[in-house]
Amino acid sequence: MECFFPNGAPSCWGARDRQPSVPSSSGASSSSSSSSSVSTDYGASSTAEDVTAGLDLTGRVYVVTGGTGAIGAEACRVLISRGASIVLAARDAKRANATVASIEGAAAKVIVLTCDLASMRSVRAFAAAFCALAMPLHGILCAAGIVAEPLFDLTEDGVERHFAINHLSHFLLVHELTNELVRTAASSGVQGRVVLVASSAHHFAYRVRRGVTKPSRGIDFANLNEPFGYTARGAYGQSKVRSIHWFPYDRVGVVNADP
């Protein structure tokens, strides 16, 4: 799922709703001054290299969570290879710095700031630290998450861990940085982006309407922060339901994204 901030006016759409490239009079796709034309014919086998081919991201700044995981680290590597700079939100600074050291050319392109997504206080502190850098912000990649933890547990804020880390903390992070995205888009003319990592696991959320003949999956708000009926699959699944139903707030619209 991607949310866009074109020239300060946000809108959102899913993976199949890409902006089409605009043909030039010669029949080739035209390109803007900030990037070359990019194919929109992507599929399940497309790589980060494929979907960024031809992009020049020099001068762009992206906040990335989960940068030490497989998806986040690869995204950082490719963004850096295209000229972008990264502010890495990381719970474990030592591990984050090791990841940075493993990426060619990353040392001069990455700033590591502490951010524990299990703590709303830490998320707010990260956002404040980012704003203090006085850098532009062209996008946020929310790639961090926990998957199917076997035992029920709460964060320091009293929220079930899957829901807190996979959804609420990212929601708060985007909320805290939305003004930075909008200001950058308005001053640069370059649309900002918020990218969420969804999962087909949303199909396996809790059954919340008992007694009906068909499965009714969703978020069990009544027992969200209670151990009653807890399953690792259900807890993870309902956190990913929120990833595809990113509800509207402030200036961000909503989209149904592909799983």
Side-chain angles (χ1 to χ4, degrees):
M1 171 182 173
E2 300 179 21
C3 300
F4 298 82
F5 296 76
N7 302 321
S11 59
C12 299
W13 54 90
R16 292 183 181 175
D17 303 311
R18 305 292 186 184
Q19 293 186 91
S21 55
V22 181
S24 66
S25 57
S26 63
S29 295
S30 63
S31 61
S32 67
S33 59
S34 60
S35 66
S36 302
S37 61
V38 181
S39 170
T40 58
D41 187 17
Y42 309 136
S45 62
S46 299
T47 67
E49 297 275 4
D50 296 333
V51 300
T52 60
L55 283 179
D56 178 5
L57 301 179
T58 302
R60 308 281 182 92
V61 177
Y62 298 92
V63 165
V64 178
T65 70
T68 59
I71 294 175
E74 176 64 3
C76 287
R77 184 189 70 79
V78 174
L79 287 171
I80 290 166
S81 74
R82 305 304 186 208
S85 296
I86 303 294
V87 177
L88 192 56
R91 178 176 57 87
D92 186 337
K94 182 177 180 180
R95 185 180 174 189
N97 285 320
T99 299
V100 172
S102 71
I103 299 174
E104 183 179 355
K109 289 285 189 177
V110 180
I111 296 173
V112 176
L113 295 178
T114 301
C115 182
D116 183 355
L117 293 174
S119 166
M120 302 293 180
R121 172 181 48 80
S122 181
V123 173
R124 290 189 175 95
F126 168 85
F130 175 84
C131 292
L133 294 173
M135 300 174 72
L137 180 60
H138 298 88
I140 304 172
L141 170 58
C142 302
I146 60 172
V147 181
E149 292 198 340
L151 299 179
F152 173 84
D153 196 12
L154 299 175
T155 66
E156 67 177 43
D157 302 292
V159 181
E160 191 280 319
R161 281 179 59 81
H162 291 87
F163 200 78
I165 294 170
N166 297 352
H167 170 60
L168 284 181
S169 287
H170 281 124
F171 182 91
L172 175 62
L173 177 65
V174 173
H175 173 78
E176 293 290 306
L177 295 179
T178 292
N179 285 338
E180 302 304 313
L181 282 168
V182 172
R183 276 194 284 266
T184 299
S187 63
S188 68
V190 177
Q191 66 181 11
R193 302 191 179 204
V194 175
V195 179
L196 310 175
V197 177
S199 169
S200 60
H202 75 269
H203 290 295
F204 303 102
Y206 291 115
R207 183 166 180 167
V208 294
R209 291 174 57 206
R210 309 189 194 288
V212 297
T213 56
K214 296 190 298 182
S216 178
R217 305 291 178 178
I219 298 173
D220 187 4
F221 284 109
N223 299 292
L224 180 63
N225 301 320
E226 300 293 334
F228 173 78
Y230 176 84
T231 67
R233 184 173 73 166
Y236 178 66
Q238 73 177 0
S239 75
K240 302 316 286 185
V241 168
R242 296 315 289 162
S243 293
I244 64 168
H245 292 158
W246 189 276
F247 47 90
Y249 74 100
D250 278 345
R251 308 179 192 85
V252 178
V254 78
V255 63
N256 289 324
D258 295 328

